[in-house]
């Protein structure tokens, strides 16, 4: 576990294979989670890549900063962290809000981006009314007040078993995120529309989604893929909104197959 000053915040993060010269990949987690959702993915990738994971501002052990946020706040943090380690030609993998951050990073710093994997995300997510209701619920009743509906979107019914210790752990992860950080990120998603960036994306892109995703359903993720010139689209069976947790083997198969097709650095 490491910490770094980036702009006005300290970001908690991990880096694997620093200085190895291996291709670099950055994994961006979703709203209400921290970088530990990538643990199973990192365990596979760290043999072949330099892997960077981090907690967004307002999440995990990173600073709260000054909510509400803009997506540009997160992408600026990420650009600073990538520069901190001198990484180049980075493959970006963004889950949910992480996909919006990836699009914003490309808009701000295309020099850093080699390719993008969009997992369970879109160019625009939800409506202002949806996000207002979410923010109001969290501010009035805490994150625990929305736990059940969120989990029904994140994971499939079999995974949401009371006997599944991992599921209970991810419930705890969600409710322990800072309330102001969570609500501040909801505001950033509410105000984000990266349609124009997606339409002009000029790096290889893969869009993947769980077939039972209740937050960004397959048809929404397909609409993102349709915007991006030359992008690929894949559906992961037996997964909902966080396939890197629920079906890591299938997730990694799609990720590695895509990376294997990329032009040389």
């Amino acid at each position: 576990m490491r910490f770094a000053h980036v702009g006005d915040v300290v970001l908690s993060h991990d880096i694997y294979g620093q200085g190895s010269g291996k291709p670099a990949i950055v994994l961006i987690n979703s709203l209400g989670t921290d970088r530990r959702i990538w643990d199973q993915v990192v365990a596979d990738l760290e043999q072949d890549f330099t892997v960077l994971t981090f907690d967004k501002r307002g999440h995990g052990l990173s600073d709260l900063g000054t909510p509400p946020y803009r997506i540009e706040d997160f992408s600026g943090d990420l650009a600073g962290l990538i520069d901190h380690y001198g990484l180049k030609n980075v493959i970006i993998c963004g889950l949910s809000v992480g996909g919006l951050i990836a699009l914003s990073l490309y808009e701000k710093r295309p020099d850093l981006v080699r390719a993008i994997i969009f997992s369970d995300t879109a160019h625009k997510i939800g409506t202002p009314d949806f996000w207002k209701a979410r923010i109001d619920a969290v501010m009035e009743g805490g994150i625990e007040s929305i736990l059940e509906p969120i989990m029904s979107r994140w994971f499939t019914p079999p995974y949401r078993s009371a006997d599944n210790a991992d599921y209970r752990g991810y419930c705890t992860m969600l409710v322990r995120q800072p309330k102001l950080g969570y609500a501040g990120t909801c505001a950033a998603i509410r105000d984000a529309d990266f349609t124009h960036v997606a339409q002009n994306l000029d790096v290889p892109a893969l869009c993947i989604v769980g077939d039972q995703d209740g937050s960004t359903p397959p048809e929404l993720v397909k609409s993102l893929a349709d915007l991006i010139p030359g992008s690929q689209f894949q559906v992961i069976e037996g997964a909902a909104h966080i396939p890197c947790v629920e079906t890591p083997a299938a997730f990694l198969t799609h990720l590695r197959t895509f990376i294997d097709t990329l032009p040389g650095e």
Side-chain angles (χ1 to χ4, degrees):
M1 183 168 59
R2 304 189 186 196
F3 298 90
H5 281 282
V6 177
D8 64 333
V9 294
V10 168
L11 296 179
S12 178
H13 64 282
D14 288 301
I15 187 164
Y16 307 84
Q18 180 187 4
S20 66
K22 296 175 181 177
I25 183 166
V26 173
L27 306 171
I28 315 171
N29 53 290
S30 55
L31 170 66
T33 68
D34 60 43
R35 65 187 185 276
R36 288 173 293 184
I37 65 168
W38 299 110
D39 282 355
Q40 296 178 86
V41 174
V42 170
D44 181 272
L45 294 180
E46 65 177 324
Q47 306 302 317
D48 303 307
F49 299 89
T50 297
V51 185
L52 176 64
T53 63
F54 70 107
D55 293 343
K56 297 183 299 296
R57 61 171 64 201
H59 287 72
L61 297 182
S62 289
D63 281 352
L64 183 64
T66 308
Y69 312 122
R70 302 174 305 135
I71 294 298
E72 289 79 5
D73 295 326
F74 300 120
S75 62
D77 293 343
L78 176 54
L81 196 56
I82 291 171
D83 285 340
H84 177 76
Y85 285 107
L87 302 179
K88 307 293 183 184
N89 297 314
V90 179
I91 300 164
I92 306 293
C93 178
L95 171 64
S96 195
V97 66
L100 296 172
I101 296 168
L103 286 167
S104 179
L105 180 70
Y106 177 81
E107 182 179 40
K108 294 165 68 79
R109 293 287 306 275
D111 59 297
L112 296 177
V113 182
R114 179 185 177 195
I116 303 178
I117 298 149
F118 296 97
S119 176
D120 302 77
T121 188
H123 47 291
K124 181 173 177 56
I125 303 173
T127 65
D129 287 345
F130 173 87
W131 290 113
K132 181 181 185 304
R134 176 74 64 84
I135 292 168
D136 289 347
V138 167
M139 296 307 296
E140 292 170 11
I143 297 177
E144 58 271 20
S145 69
I146 59 170
L147 175 62
E148 291 305 320
I150 295 300
M151 288 294 148
S152 71
R153 296 181 175 97
W154 278 13
F155 298 114
T156 63
Y159 193 88
R160 299 197 311 272
S161 165
D163 296 331
N164 183 357
D166 289 349
Y167 172 65
R168 290 178 58 181
Y170 286 106
C171 290
T172 301
M173 175 183 286
L174 173 61
V175 300
R176 288 188 181 174
Q177 299 304 320
K179 179 172 73 172
L180 291 177
Y182 185 95
T185 305
C186 289
I189 301 171
R190 176 197 65 200
D191 298 337
D193 185 344
F194 286 92
T195 303
H196 64 293
V197 180
Q199 290 172 326
N200 293 285
L201 199 68
D202 194 28
V203 295
L206 168 66
C207 299
I208 54 180
V209 60
D211 64 344
Q212 300 174 54
D213 189 334
S215 294
T216 53
E219 58 269 22
L220 179 60
V221 181
K222 180 63 163 61
S223 73
L224 170 63
D226 289 343
L227 285 175
I228 300 172
S231 70
Q232 301 176 36
F233 175 71
Q234 298 288 342
V235 176
I236 299 177
E237 295 185 4
H241 190 55
I242 311 185
C244 59
V245 166
E246 192 164 10
T247 54
F251 182 90
L252 280 160
T253 294
H254 288 300
L255 186 148
R256 282 186 171 274
T257 298
F258 170 71
I259 293 175
D260 286 345
T261 68
L262 295 179
E265 295 185 74

